[in-house]
Amino acid sequence: MLTPQKTLDTYYLEARRDLLEVAAMLDRYDRSVEKEGKPAADESKLNSLLEALALLSKKDHPESNRAEQLLVHFAKVS
Amino acid sequence: MQIIQPHYHAIARTAQDYERMAMSGVVAVCEPAFWAGFDRRYPETFIDYFAQISEFEPTRAAEFGIRHYCWVAVNPKEAENKELTDEVLRQMPEFLEKETCLGVGETGLHKSTKNEIESLEAHVEIAMKYNQLVLIHTPHLSDKAHGTKTVLEVLAGMDVNPDRIWIDHVEEQTIEPVLDAGYWAGMTLYPVTKCSPRRAVDILEKYSTERLLVNSSADWGPSDPFTLQESIVEFRRRGHSLQEAVDIYHNNPCRFLGQNPKWDIKPITISEE
Protein backbone atom coordinates (compact mmCIF):
# COMPACT_ATOMS: atom_id res chain seq x y z
CA MET A 1 0.00 0.00 0.00
CA LEU A 2 1.21 3.53 -0.76
CA THR A 3 1.95 6.02 2.01
CA PRO A 4 -0.77 8.64 2.71
CA GLN A 5 1.21 11.35 0.92
CA LYS A 6 2.04 9.11 -2.03
CA THR A 7 -1.64 8.14 -2.29
CA LEU A 8 -2.66 11.80 -2.62
CA ASP A 9 0.20 12.63 -4.97
CA THR A 10 -0.56 9.65 -7.19
CA TYR A 11 -4.31 10.01 -7.52
CA TYR A 12 -5.03 13.72 -7.00
CA LEU A 13 -4.98 14.75 -10.67
CA GLU A 14 -7.19 11.86 -11.75
CA ALA A 15 -9.69 12.63 -8.98
CA ARG A 16 -9.57 16.32 -9.96
CA ARG A 17 -10.33 15.35 -13.56
CA ASP A 18 -13.26 13.16 -12.50
CA LEU A 19 -14.76 15.89 -10.31
CA LEU A 20 -14.42 18.38 -13.16
CA GLU A 21 -16.33 15.98 -15.39
CA VAL A 22 -19.12 15.81 -12.81
CA ALA A 23 -19.19 19.60 -12.49
CA ALA A 24 -19.29 19.98 -16.27
CA MET A 25 -22.12 17.44 -16.54
CA LEU A 26 -24.18 19.39 -13.99
CA ASP A 27 -23.47 22.65 -15.87
CA ARG A 28 -24.49 20.90 -19.09
CA TYR A 29 -27.80 19.91 -17.52
CA ASP A 30 -28.43 23.47 -16.29
CA ARG A 31 -27.78 24.92 -19.74
CA SER A 32 -30.08 22.35 -21.29
CA VAL A 33 -32.84 23.23 -18.82
CA GLU A 34 -32.34 26.91 -19.61
CA LYS A 35 -32.54 26.26 -23.35
CA GLU A 36 -35.60 24.00 -23.10
CA GLY A 37 -37.29 26.22 -20.55
CA LYS A 38 -38.12 23.30 -18.30
CA PRO A 39 -36.31 20.61 -16.30
CA ALA A 40 -36.28 16.87 -17.06
CA ALA A 41 -39.57 15.18 -16.30
CA ASP A 42 -37.72 12.82 -13.99
CA GLU A 43 -34.86 14.40 -12.05
CA SER A 44 -34.15 11.40 -9.87
CA LYS A 45 -30.75 10.83 -11.51
CA LEU A 46 -29.77 14.44 -10.86
CA ASN A 47 -30.88 14.23 -7.25
CA SER A 48 -29.03 10.96 -6.82
CA LEU A 49 -25.80 12.55 -8.03
CA LEU A 50 -26.22 15.56 -5.76
CA GLU A 51 -26.89 13.28 -2.78
CA ALA A 52 -23.79 11.26 -3.66
CA LEU A 53 -21.70 14.42 -3.66
CA ALA A 54 -23.10 15.35 -0.27
CA LEU A 55 -22.19 11.91 1.01
CA LEU A 56 -18.63 12.29 -0.25
CA SER A 57 -18.25 15.71 1.33
CA LYS A 58 -18.88 14.31 4.81
CA LYS A 59 -15.55 14.33 6.58
CA ASP A 60 -15.69 11.16 8.66
CA HIS A 61 -16.01 7.73 7.09
CA PRO A 62 -14.58 5.47 9.80
CA GLU A 63 -15.01 2.31 7.73
CA SER A 64 -13.33 3.85 4.64
CA ASN A 65 -16.18 2.52 2.53
CA ARG A 66 -17.29 5.52 0.48
CA ALA A 67 -17.36 3.48 -2.75
CA GLU A 68 -19.57 0.85 -1.13
CA GLN A 69 -21.89 3.55 0.24
CA LEU A 70 -22.17 5.14 -3.21
CA LEU A 71 -22.98 1.82 -4.87
CA VAL A 72 -25.74 1.19 -2.35
CA HIS A 73 -26.95 4.75 -2.88
CA PHE A 74 -26.93 4.52 -6.70
CA ALA A 75 -28.79 1.22 -6.58
CA LYS A 76 -31.88 3.21 -5.55
CA VAL A 77 -32.02 4.80 -9.02
CA SER A 78 -33.34 2.62 -11.79
CA MET B 1 -14.36 13.62 -42.00
CA GLN B 2 -11.17 15.61 -42.64
CA ILE B 3 -9.46 16.75 -39.44
CA ILE B 4 -6.53 19.03 -38.63
CA GLN B 5 -4.39 18.56 -35.52
CA PRO B 6 -3.36 22.17 -34.82
CA HIS B 7 -0.99 21.34 -31.93
CA TYR B 8 0.90 18.07 -32.24
CA HIS B 9 4.38 17.19 -30.96
CA ALA B 10 5.23 14.58 -33.57
CA ILE B 11 8.83 13.99 -32.54
CA ALA B 12 7.51 12.43 -29.33
CA ARG B 13 5.09 10.15 -31.15
CA THR B 14 5.34 7.02 -33.27
CA ALA B 15 4.83 6.32 -36.95
CA GLN B 16 1.90 4.17 -35.86
CA ASP B 17 0.21 7.33 -34.54
CA TYR B 18 0.62 8.92 -37.97
CA GLU B 19 -0.85 5.82 -39.60
CA ARG B 20 -3.85 5.71 -37.28
CA MET B 21 -4.42 9.44 -37.61
CA ALA B 22 -4.37 9.10 -41.39
CA MET B 23 -6.92 6.27 -41.15
CA SER B 24 -9.17 8.47 -38.98
CA GLY B 25 -9.19 11.48 -41.29
CA VAL B 26 -6.28 13.64 -40.12
CA VAL B 27 -4.88 15.53 -43.10
CA ALA B 28 -2.40 17.86 -41.37
CA VAL B 29 -0.55 18.31 -38.10
CA CYS B 30 1.18 21.42 -36.79
CA GLU B 31 4.16 20.98 -34.50
CA PRO B 32 5.11 23.83 -32.16
CA ALA B 33 8.58 23.76 -30.62
CA PHE B 34 8.29 22.61 -26.99
CA TRP B 35 10.07 21.42 -23.87
CA ALA B 36 11.79 18.05 -24.28
CA GLY B 37 11.30 17.00 -20.66
CA PHE B 38 14.74 18.31 -19.70
CA ASP B 39 16.43 21.70 -20.05
CA ARG B 40 18.67 21.84 -23.10
CA ARG B 41 22.08 23.38 -22.44
CA TYR B 42 23.13 24.59 -25.86
CA PRO B 43 21.56 26.86 -28.47
CA GLU B 44 22.86 24.44 -31.09
CA THR B 45 20.58 21.76 -29.67
CA PHE B 46 17.63 24.01 -30.42
CA ILE B 47 18.88 24.69 -33.92
CA ASP B 48 19.07 20.95 -34.61
CA TYR B 49 15.61 20.56 -33.11
CA PHE B 50 14.22 23.29 -35.37
CA ALA B 51 15.82 21.52 -38.35
CA GLN B 52 14.23 18.25 -37.25
CA ILE B 53 10.71 19.69 -37.11
CA SER B 54 11.04 21.85 -40.22
CA GLU B 55 12.92 19.43 -42.48
CA PHE B 56 12.77 15.81 -41.32
CA GLU B 57 9.36 15.52 -39.65
CA PRO B 58 7.42 16.58 -42.81
CA THR B 59 8.97 13.60 -44.60
CA ARG B 60 7.85 11.21 -41.86
CA ALA B 61 4.28 12.56 -41.97
CA ALA B 62 4.23 12.46 -45.76
CA GLU B 63 4.70 8.68 -45.64
CA PHE B 64 1.09 8.58 -44.43
CA GLY B 65 -0.28 11.36 -46.61
CA ILE B 66 -0.33 13.85 -43.74
CA ARG B 67 0.91 17.40 -44.17
CA HIS B 68 3.31 18.53 -41.43
CA TYR B 69 3.89 22.15 -40.44
CA CYS B 70 5.91 23.60 -37.56
CA TRP B 71 6.43 26.61 -35.32
CA VAL B 72 9.72 27.69 -33.74
CA ALA B 73 10.42 29.22 -30.32
CA VAL B 74 12.15 28.73 -27.01
CA ASN B 75 9.48 27.31 -24.75
CA PRO B 76 8.68 29.13 -21.48
CA LYS B 77 10.41 26.61 -19.21
CA GLU B 78 13.76 26.95 -20.96
CA ALA B 79 13.27 30.70 -21.38
CA GLU B 80 14.51 30.92 -17.81
CA ASN B 81 17.98 30.51 -19.36
CA LYS B 82 18.36 34.02 -20.74
CA GLU B 83 21.70 33.50 -22.45
CA LEU B 84 20.43 30.45 -24.32
CA THR B 85 17.18 32.20 -25.24
CA ASP B 86 18.93 35.25 -26.65
CA GLU B 87 21.18 33.14 -28.86
CA VAL B 88 18.32 30.97 -30.15
CA LEU B 89 16.23 34.06 -30.88
CA ARG B 90 19.16 35.51 -32.85
CA GLN B 91 19.21 32.44 -35.11
CA MET B 92 15.46 31.82 -35.23
CA PRO B 93 14.53 34.06 -38.21
CA GLU B 94 16.24 31.73 -40.69
CA PHE B 95 13.76 29.01 -39.67
CA LEU B 96 10.80 31.34 -40.12
CA GLU B 97 11.68 31.21 -43.82
CA LYS B 98 11.33 27.42 -44.01
CA GLU B 99 8.50 26.42 -46.34
CA THR B 100 6.54 24.59 -43.62
CA CYS B 101 7.14 27.01 -40.72
CA LEU B 102 3.96 28.83 -39.77
CA GLY B 103 5.21 31.24 -37.12
CA VAL B 104 6.59 31.78 -33.63
CA GLY B 105 5.50 29.29 -30.99
CA GLU B 106 5.00 27.98 -28.55
CA THR B 107 6.22 30.90 -26.54
CA GLY B 108 4.30 31.96 -23.43
CA LEU B 109 4.55 31.52 -19.68
CA HIS B 110 5.11 28.66 -17.26
CA LYS B 111 5.71 30.21 -13.83
CA SER B 112 5.36 33.81 -15.07
CA THR B 113 8.89 34.79 -14.00
CA LYS B 114 10.66 37.95 -15.12
CA ASN B 115 12.82 36.02 -17.59
CA GLU B 116 9.80 34.23 -19.03
CA ILE B 117 7.96 37.52 -19.52
CA GLU B 118 10.98 39.09 -21.22
CA SER B 119 11.27 36.04 -23.49
CA LEU B 120 7.57 36.24 -24.38
CA GLU B 121 7.95 39.90 -25.28
CA ALA B 122 11.05 39.17 -27.37
CA HIS B 123 9.29 36.35 -29.23
CA VAL B 124 6.26 38.50 -29.99
CA GLU B 125 8.49 41.35 -31.17
CA ILE B 126 10.29 39.02 -33.60
CA ALA B 127 6.96 37.67 -34.82
CA MET B 128 5.65 41.17 -35.48
CA LYS B 129 8.92 42.22 -37.14
CA TYR B 130 8.80 39.26 -39.54
CA ASN B 131 5.00 39.37 -39.96
CA GLN B 132 4.51 35.94 -38.35
CA LEU B 133 1.63 34.25 -36.55
CA VAL B 134 2.12 33.65 -32.81
CA LEU B 135 1.20 30.62 -30.69
CA ILE B 136 1.22 31.30 -26.95
CA HIS B 137 1.31 28.59 -24.28
CA THR B 138 -0.50 29.30 -21.00
CA PRO B 139 0.53 27.64 -17.72
CA HIS B 140 -0.78 24.46 -16.15
CA LEU B 141 -3.10 23.88 -13.20
CA SER B 142 -2.76 26.37 -10.34
CA ASP B 143 -0.64 28.79 -12.41
CA LYS B 144 -3.11 28.95 -15.31
CA ALA B 145 -5.43 31.83 -14.36
CA HIS B 146 -2.62 34.12 -13.20
CA GLY B 147 -0.39 33.20 -16.14
CA THR B 148 -3.13 33.77 -18.70
CA LYS B 149 -3.91 37.16 -17.16
CA THR B 150 -0.22 38.05 -17.35
CA VAL B 151 -0.02 36.96 -21.00
CA LEU B 152 -2.94 39.26 -21.81
CA GLU B 153 -1.33 42.14 -19.91
CA VAL B 154 1.95 41.66 -21.77
CA LEU B 155 0.19 41.60 -25.14
CA ALA B 156 -1.92 44.64 -24.24
CA GLY B 157 1.29 46.61 -23.85
CA MET B 158 2.55 45.65 -27.31
CA ASP B 159 1.62 46.63 -30.84
CA VAL B 160 0.00 43.36 -31.95
CA ASN B 161 -2.87 42.25 -34.15
CA PRO B 162 -5.06 39.85 -32.08
CA ASP B 163 -6.27 38.18 -35.30
CA ARG B 164 -2.79 36.69 -35.70
CA ILE B 165 -2.32 35.45 -32.13
CA TRP B 166 -3.51 32.11 -30.76
CA ILE B 167 -3.54 31.74 -26.99
CA ASP B 168 -3.53 28.05 -26.18
CA HIS B 169 -4.65 25.66 -23.43
CA VAL B 170 -7.66 27.74 -22.33
CA GLU B 171 -10.18 26.20 -19.96
CA GLU B 172 -13.44 27.35 -18.43
CA GLN B 173 -11.76 29.87 -16.12
CA THR B 174 -9.60 31.53 -18.80
CA ILE B 175 -11.47 31.44 -22.09
CA GLU B 176 -13.58 34.58 -21.67
CA PRO B 177 -10.80 37.17 -21.25
CA VAL B 178 -8.91 35.63 -24.18
CA LEU B 179 -11.90 35.81 -26.53
CA ASP B 180 -13.00 39.20 -25.20
CA ALA B 181 -9.57 40.61 -26.10
CA GLY B 182 -10.03 39.38 -29.68
CA TYR B 183 -7.47 36.57 -29.73
CA TRP B 184 -7.93 33.03 -31.01
CA ALA B 185 -8.28 30.51 -28.18
CA GLY B 186 -7.18 26.88 -28.24
CA MET B 187 -8.38 24.01 -26.07
CA THR B 188 -6.02 21.09 -25.50
CA LEU B 189 -7.56 17.73 -24.70
CA TYR B 190 -5.58 15.57 -22.29
CA PRO B 191 -6.56 12.29 -20.63
CA VAL B 192 -6.01 13.75 -17.14
CA THR B 193 -4.98 17.42 -17.09
CA LYS B 194 -6.13 20.49 -19.03
CA CYS B 195 -9.41 20.13 -20.90
CA SER B 196 -11.33 16.95 -21.69
CA PRO B 197 -13.18 16.04 -24.90
CA ARG B 198 -16.60 16.51 -23.28
CA ARG B 199 -15.74 19.76 -21.52
CA ALA B 200 -14.38 21.06 -24.83
CA VAL B 201 -17.74 20.41 -26.48
CA ASP B 202 -19.45 22.21 -23.58
CA ILE B 203 -17.24 25.21 -24.30
CA LEU B 204 -17.97 24.98 -28.02
CA GLU B 205 -21.69 25.04 -27.22
CA LYS B 206 -21.39 27.93 -24.78
CA TYR B 207 -19.24 30.36 -26.78
CA SER B 208 -19.09 31.58 -30.34
CA THR B 209 -16.90 29.08 -32.18
CA GLU B 210 -15.55 31.63 -34.62
CA ARG B 211 -12.12 31.89 -32.94
CA LEU B 212 -11.86 28.51 -31.23
CA LEU B 213 -9.32 25.80 -32.03
CA VAL B 214 -9.33 22.28 -30.62
CA ASN B 215 -6.12 20.30 -30.13
CA SER B 216 -5.56 16.77 -29.04
CA SER B 217 -2.66 16.05 -26.70
CA ALA B 218 0.42 14.56 -28.27
CA ASP B 219 3.74 14.71 -26.46
CA TRP B 220 6.14 12.54 -24.46
CA GLY B 221 3.95 12.48 -21.33
CA PRO B 222 0.53 10.94 -20.67
CA SER B 223 -1.33 12.17 -23.74
CA ASP B 224 -3.55 10.91 -26.52
CA PRO B 225 -3.72 12.19 -30.12
CA PHE B 226 -7.18 10.67 -30.47
CA THR B 227 -8.86 12.86 -27.86
CA LEU B 228 -9.59 15.07 -30.87
CA GLN B 229 -11.65 12.34 -32.54
CA GLU B 230 -13.27 11.62 -29.17
CA SER B 231 -14.33 15.25 -29.03
CA ILE B 232 -15.72 15.11 -32.57
CA VAL B 233 -17.79 12.02 -31.72
CA GLU B 234 -19.13 13.81 -28.62
CA PHE B 235 -19.90 16.93 -30.68
CA ARG B 236 -21.82 14.93 -33.27
CA ARG B 237 -23.58 12.84 -30.60
CA ARG B 238 -25.10 16.04 -29.26
CA GLY B 239 -26.78 16.63 -32.60
CA HIS B 240 -24.42 19.08 -34.26
CA SER B 241 -24.17 18.75 -38.02
CA LEU B 242 -21.27 17.42 -40.03
CA GLN B 243 -20.71 20.89 -41.47
CA GLU B 244 -20.52 22.37 -37.96
CA ALA B 245 -17.95 19.73 -37.03
CA VAL B 246 -15.93 20.39 -40.18
CA ASP B 247 -16.04 24.12 -39.46
CA ILE B 248 -14.53 23.64 -36.00
CA TYR B 249 -12.13 20.74 -36.48
CA HIS B 250 -10.93 21.53 -40.00
CA ASN B 251 -11.98 24.95 -41.20
CA ASN B 252 -11.12 27.01 -38.10
CA PRO B 253 -7.48 25.89 -38.21
CA CYS B 254 -7.50 26.72 -41.94
CA ARG B 255 -8.85 30.19 -41.22
CA PHE B 256 -6.28 30.99 -38.55
CA LEU B 257 -3.26 29.27 -40.09
CA GLY B 258 -4.24 30.38 -43.60
CA GLN B 259 -3.20 33.89 -42.61
CA ASN B 260 0.26 32.54 -43.39
CA PRO B 261 0.38 32.00 -47.17
CA LYS B 262 2.46 28.83 -46.66
CA TRP B 263 -0.73 27.15 -45.38
CA ASP B 264 -2.60 26.10 -48.52
CA ILE B 265 -5.29 23.79 -47.12
CA LYS B 266 -8.65 25.40 -47.78
CA PRO B 267 -11.86 25.33 -45.71
CA ILE B 268 -14.33 22.66 -46.79
CA THR B 269 -18.06 23.00 -47.45
CA ILE B 270 -20.13 19.81 -47.36
CA SER B 271 -22.56 19.49 -50.24
CA GLU B 272 -25.22 16.91 -51.04
CA GLU B 273 -26.12 15.73 -54.54
Side-chain angles (χ1 to χ4, degrees), chain A residues 13 16-17 21 24 28 31, chain B residues 141 191-192 196 202 238:
Chain A
L13 283 177
R16 173 186 182 274
R17 172 201 59 196
E21 289 299 320
R28 199 175 301 141
R31 283 197 300 276
Chain B
L141 301 170
V192 178
S196 73
D202 292 334
R238 295 192 196 178

